[in-house]
Amino acid sequence: MSFVKGLKHVAATVTALATAAGLLTVGAGVASAGPRDWLRPDATGTCEWDAAGHWVQRCDVWSPATGKNISVQIQPAARGGNAGLYLLDGLRATDISSAWLVDTNAAAKFVNNNITLIMPVGGESSFYTDWETPATYDLKDPVTYKWETFLTKELPVYLEQNFGVARNNNSVAGLSMGGTAAMNLAAHHRDQFRQVLSFSGYLTTTLPGMQTMVRAALLDAGGFNVNAMYGSIFSPRRFQNDPFLNMGNLRGADIYVSAASGTAGPGEAGRGAGLLAGGAVLEVFSNASTKLWALKAKASGLQITEDYLPVGQHNWALFSTQLDRAHDRILDVMNAW
């Protein structure tokens, strides 16, 4: 642990102890800690205070499906509520931290709210799904991806037991790859997710050309083999995991989709030409995919909310703005103010 991180850890612990000492159980005279004032148990003993600050804990959760611990960054609900918000990362997710806490501080955005933030760490190029075979071409050091099993069967048990998150009172949101995954997870597990939000996701993954686009993206982001995800291009699982084809399963859920035009906004002027061009192309594709998905969804009778920003490229300036714009809606639907 670095000196700075150590200081943060000590400061957070002292604050938690001081807060706990000030909360007395009525009539008993016994100190009682609030929902954010203590570190929960995890697979290594206890969680740790995360460097992101606020009330974020970093917890290692054992995953039998993958045979290892998976780190999850969690901010408990402010007043002990049982609602949960899963925030899924983009294609280049790292094993260091969820980008929701690095490139925009989601914890700060919900610091006063009665909803538990759940931010899994890792999952680069995974689409947060269960892969058929090891995900990379390097079979000497295989990467086992069973994200759907972890997020819908293993993690909910841990969250219920240690953070009081109900298994049937959750929202799931994601950006880009995570937006695609959020739609699929909500469609497959309606008993878990009452609300789903896609920020610049790709929602038509089996239409002509999309397979080639995903293959190139996965090779570029870590050398992942798209055929290892669902099998061959004709595999039924590939179609079962296309939001454009499984949207009927979302009936009754609160659905929010958002994308921007791909035009650079005022805050993006300093980005290099390559980043500007790449951000524009990715967002234009997302915009078209999202609008096509929304057109079919409305024709199918789904009640959806669309939010298309006039400027914005496929980067964290946009994703942060999208979360800000959806913030109140999340809390209204989840009754988590």
Side-chain angles (χ1 to χ4, degrees):
M1 179 182 294
S2 69
F3 179 70
V4 173
K5 185 176 180 181
L7 285 178
K8 290 183 177 179
H9 180 88
V10 171
T13 303
V14 170
T15 300
L17 291 173
T19 304
L23 299 172
L24 298 180
T25 302
V26 176
V30 179
S32 176
R36 287 180 169 174
D37 299 332
W38 55 286
L39 290 168
R40 272 49 169 199
D42 72 354
T44 64
T46 62
C47 304
E48 297 179 348
W49 294 114
D50 194 85
H54 299 289
W55 299 100
V56 179
Q57 303 183 25
R58 188 183 185 104
C59 305
D60 290 314
V61 181
W62 173 250
S63 168
T66 59
K68 67 176 184 179
N69 289 330
I70 295 178
S71 291
V72 185
Q73 291 162 301
I74 305 169
Q75 178 168 272
R79 291 171 296 284
N82 70 359
L85 170 59
Y86 288 68
L87 290 173
L88 305 181
D89 220 328
L91 195 73
R92 299 182 187 276
T94 74
D95 291 328
I96 299 171
S97 173
S98 167
W100 284 110
L101 291 172
V102 175
D103 295 297
T104 185
N105 198 330
K109 297 178 188 292
F110 289 89
V111 71
N112 296 318
N113 304 128
N114 202 24
I115 191 166
T116 296
L117 298 192
I118 304 150
M119 296 160 284
V121 179
E124 181 182 22
S125 294
S126 68
F127 280 84
Y128 293 101
T129 190
D130 288 356
W131 287 47
E132 295 283 327
T133 57
T136 60
Y137 290 95
D138 181 8
L139 299 184
K140 294 181 179 179
D141 186 22
V143 176
T144 302
Y145 276 157
K146 297 293 180 182
W147 276 103
E148 183 168 355
T149 294
F150 177 71
L151 292 173
T152 63
K153 292 183 172 61
E154 298 169 349
L155 182 57
V157 175
Y158 173 80
L159 292 170
E160 183 179 56
Q161 293 176 347
N162 296 285
F163 289 87
V165 177
R167 299 194 204 186
N168 62 352
N169 193 32
N170 296 279
S171 172
V172 59
L175 69 107
S176 192
M177 173 192 83
T180 309
M183 294 297 248
N184 284 329
L185 289 171
H188 296 166
H189 303 276
R190 281 286 291 109
D191 57 336
Q192 180 176 356
F193 299 109
R194 295 175 47 217
Q195 182 186 54
V196 57
L197 306 97
S198 170
F199 304 140
S200 300
Y202 297 94
L203 308 183
T204 55
T205 56
T206 60
L207 290 188
M210 288 299 296
Q211 171 78 3
T212 299
M213 178 180 169
V214 173
R215 181 185 300 278
L218 266 59
L219 284 171
D220 182 61
F224 290 84
N225 175 12
V226 71
N227 291 337
M229 191 185 299
Y230 300 127
S232 78
I233 194 171
F234 303 109
S235 166
R237 287 197 65 217
R238 191 173 302 282
F239 300 97
Q240 293 163 4
N241 287 276
D242 181 355
F244 191 70
L245 300 178
N246 64 32
M247 65 173 65
N249 297 339
L250 293 175
R251 200 168 302 279
D254 182 73
I255 308 167
Y256 178 98
V257 295
S258 174
S261 65
T263 303
E268 296 167 316
R271 293 165 61 85
L275 290 175
L276 285 172
V281 170
L282 289 171
E283 195 59 29
V284 166
F285 267 106
S286 172
N287 188 294
S289 177
T290 299
K291 286 181 176 177
L292 185 58
W293 181 93
L295 188 66
K296 181 185 175 187
K298 288 183 290 188
S300 301
L302 295 183
Q303 299 298 311
I304 68 171
T305 297
E306 302 168 82
D307 186 17
Y308 301 112
L309 286 72
V311 296
Q313 296 194 330
H314 208 73
N315 57 48
W316 274 98
L318 172 61
F319 308 143
S320 181
T321 297
Q322 288 169 313
L323 183 59
D324 288 338
R325 291 167 70 95
H327 176 272
D328 290 3
R329 181 188 188 88
I330 293 169
L331 298 178
D332 284 342
V333 171
M334 301 306 295
N335 192 26
W337 283 95

